[in-house]
Amino acid sequence: METSGRVEQYKLDNGLRLVTAPASTGQVASVNLWYGVGSRHEVPGRTGFAHLFEHLMFQGSGNVTKGEHFDVVERLGGDINASTSTDRTNYYETVPTHALDSVLWLEADRLATLREGMTQEVLDNQRDVVKNERRQRYDNQPYGTALERILRLAYPEGHPYHHSTIGSMADLDAADLDYVKSFHKAHYGPDNCVLTIVSDLESADVLARVEKYFGAIPARDFIPETPDPTLRAPLGGPVRDSVTETVPAAGVFIGFRVPAYGEREHDVAQLAAAVLGQGQGSRLYRSLVVDRPIAADDGGGSADILPFRYTDSLLLVNMLAREGVAGDVLEQAIREEVAKLTSGITDEELDRARAVLEREHLHSIASPSGLADSIGSCTQLLGDPELAYTWPERWADVTAEEVRAAAERLLVDDNMLVVRFDPESETAAETLQVEAEADAAANAPQG
């Protein structure tokens, strides 16, 4: 056992890492499992599997029927969900403390016996669910393919961050039952999991319960090779992808490679993003939404970091044009504001950026569920659960000159990608409508 301040850490004989922490509110227990598998572990032709598995994990196991996991937690008055990213997949529940054993049993059972409950029918059903999710969130949404286009520009083909977590329709169609089972066997083992429990129970009590349910599950008998995330060449920008489709207004997405999550220069880039586009006191909001104004009101959320632990992250800026404003005008204005960072920022701007980031972080860990998630992240990705509490200290000694220097080095054209969406012109749209009506008439049944 390791004890460090507010958290306690244990490692079971099978490799499972357990972190316990006190809840700010009593009578609830938040359980959060971070598995070290995400879309970066997928291989060409098998994209989307990590996310597909997130769905399959709720479809029954050796001792739990389809949908029963959700049903049990919801009958207890609990909250349950899961998510998938490039670097991990996590599953989480918050329940009354007296229900902790039930949740631990459910989680341990699907870890140990999921493959026993996996059938072709289950796979086919969830594959259709994921494909429908792709249609709704990506293919049929204005600007819905922006992230996929950004990733394709930012990382070369074959790089593990070149594709999004949703995967392609073709790869999802190619999923077969044997490969799905082998994916679970390769990545879902106690030795690839961080289990965080935030509750008002004594840590020794929590450890005993976890040992009871997880202790007998064997570690993986082999560890698959992880695709190499090394970037062997600079971005070579500016690179761009221009899209003309049915969108309500021009949309500008600009990205820059910045250092990986966990590095000091990543923290500096976070502050640069906050100065640029986080909050209504940010430069982009004040300049392009309030003063000119040429950008739609986004509430002050136009810049942020897409954090990746094992390769360069991305600093992204995104704004939509106001009615009547051309995409070229908005793009040029954004690029000018970004370039101004190289001339420096004021201490007042830096203090505001720190306050914005600190507030967001403290808000994220205010609930037992949020704290458990942050601890799981810091443990799985950085090996230090205490960072969940101390993260704002990373921004405390960053200077205005560091932000300026980072902007001068990173926020430049040869490190820039641009994805631009422009609306179809009314004439073009009318032409398409006429063509569609003509096709429909030509193909209509005769007689």
Side-chain angles (χ1 to χ4, degrees):
M1 179 187 80
E2 295 181 27
T3 300
S4 177
R6 288 153 287 204
V7 305
E8 294 188 4
Q9 300 183 70
Y10 307 88
K11 190 170 185 178
L12 274 57
D13 290 343
N14 57 16
L16 184 141
R17 287 171 287 172
L18 168 66
V19 186
T20 65
S24 57
T25 57
Q27 301 182 350
V28 298
S30 285
V31 176
N32 199 309
L33 298 94
W34 271 58
Y35 287 98
V37 56
S39 60
R40 78 184 183 99
H41 297 89
E42 298 162 350
V43 297
R46 303 290 190 182
T47 64
F49 270 63
H51 176 242
L52 174 62
F53 232 92
E54 175 200 320
H55 285 250
L56 294 172
M57 288 282 277
F58 292 99
Q59 299 306 308
S61 53
N63 301 295
V64 176
T65 59
K66 180 180 178 181
E68 186 178 356
H69 193 130
F70 264 112
D71 187 58
V72 168
V73 174
E74 288 173 349
R75 284 177 181 272
L76 290 166
D79 181 49
I80 178 173
N81 216 326
S83 69
T84 308
S85 77
T86 53
D87 297 337
R88 56 83 183 140
T89 305
N90 74 336
Y91 302 86
Y92 48 95
E93 298 99 345
T94 297
V95 294
T97 304
H98 66 78
L100 176 60
D101 284 72
S102 296
V103 169
L104 292 177
W105 181 86
L106 286 166
E107 290 291 359
D109 186 70
R110 66 179 174 183
L111 172 59
T113 72
L114 185 93
R115 295 190 292 277
E116 297 173 23
M118 188 70 61
T119 66
Q120 188 65 47
E121 180 183 5
V122 167
L123 172 59
D124 291 343
N125 175 268
Q126 288 308 300
R127 174 168 40 205
D128 288 344
V129 170
V130 172
K131 287 170 65 177
N132 196 43
E133 179 180 340
R134 183 186 164 88
R135 294 186 191 97
Q136 292 180 343
R137 293 178 52 196
Y138 290 75
D139 299 332
N140 298 329
Q141 276 288 329
Y143 322 103
T145 59
L147 178 60
E148 290 185 308
R149 295 174 186 277
I150 288 168
L151 295 175
R152 286 199 292 264
L153 290 178
Y155 306 100
E157 189 168 359
H159 189 273
Y161 292 75
H162 180 75
H163 65 279
S164 68
T165 56
I166 195 69
S168 75
M169 287 288 196
D171 289 353
L172 291 169
D173 281 334
D176 63 70
L177 192 58
D178 288 342
Y179 186 80
V180 166
K181 289 183 177 180
S182 71
F183 192 89
H184 182 266
K185 185 177 182 181
H187 296 288
Y188 281 82
D191 53 311
N192 197 30
C193 178
V194 171
L195 169 57
T196 303
I197 299 178
V198 174
S199 72
D200 58 358
L201 298 171
E202 295 293 330
S203 61
D205 182 0
V206 174
L207 173 62
R209 298 177 194 227
V210 171
E211 284 274 16
K212 177 182 178 181
Y213 297 109
F214 286 85
I217 302 173
R220 295 172 295 172
D221 53 14
F222 78 100
I223 298 174
E225 185 176 352
T226 301
D228 183 3
T230 304
L231 286 166
R232 305 189 188 286
L235 187 59
V239 293
R240 65 184 301 126
D241 184 358
S242 299
V243 188
T244 301
E245 63 180 27
T246 307
V247 291
V252 180
F253 299 76
I254 296 178
F256 303 89
R257 285 184 186 170
V258 298
Y261 174 73
E263 297 181 16
R264 180 178 173 84
E265 283 197 320
H266 183 279
D267 302 331
V268 176
Q270 275 189 302
L271 286 163
V275 169
L276 264 178
Q278 292 184 23
Q280 297 186 2
S282 64
R283 289 190 176 190
L284 287 169
Y285 189 88
R286 293 171 65 89
S287 174
L288 306 188
V289 176
V290 177
D291 292 343
R292 294 184 65 172
I294 59 174
D297 192 341
D298 56 13
S302 60
D304 206 346
I305 302 279
L306 190 58
F308 298 135
R309 177 69 184 99
Y310 304 101
T311 195
D312 282 359
S313 299
L314 292 175
L315 189 157
L316 298 176
V317 178
N318 163 224
M319 301 190 91
L320 304 183
R322 289 207 179 191
E323 185 176 0
V325 176
D328 285 343
V329 173
L330 179 60
E331 179 183 335
Q332 183 61 31
I334 294 173
R335 292 173 65 168
E336 288 172 359
E337 287 297 330
V338 171
K340 289 178 184 175
L341 274 192
T342 61
S343 299
I345 65 171
T346 67
D347 289 338
E348 181 181 359
E349 286 181 304
L350 184 59
D351 288 343
R352 189 200 66 85
R354 283 198 194 95
V356 168
L357 296 178
E358 289 175 8
R359 172 178 52 77
E360 289 180 351
H361 178 77
L362 294 175
H363 179 73
S364 72
I365 65 170
S367 68
S369 177
L371 178 60
D373 188 56
S374 184
I375 288 174
S377 168
C378 292
T379 307
Q380 179 70 263
L381 299 179
L382 301 171
D384 184 359
E386 279 285 329
L387 287 172
Y389 296 95
T390 64
W391 196 272
E393 295 174 10
R394 299 169 66 96
W395 300 306
D397 63 348
V398 173
T399 66
E401 171 53 23
E402 280 184 279
V403 176
R404 188 206 64 77
E408 187 175 67
R409 186 173 60 260
L410 299 170
L411 307 187
V412 293
D413 282 1
D414 62 5
N415 189 41
M416 180 174 69
L417 64 87
V418 180
V419 174
R420 257 280 294 283
F421 288 82
D422 287 292
E424 295 171 334
S425 67
E426 291 186 6
T427 301
E430 289 169 357
T431 300
L432 289 173
Q433 179 65 27
V434 169
E435 291 176 351
E437 291 174 357
D439 289 342
N443 295 322
Q446 301 297 313

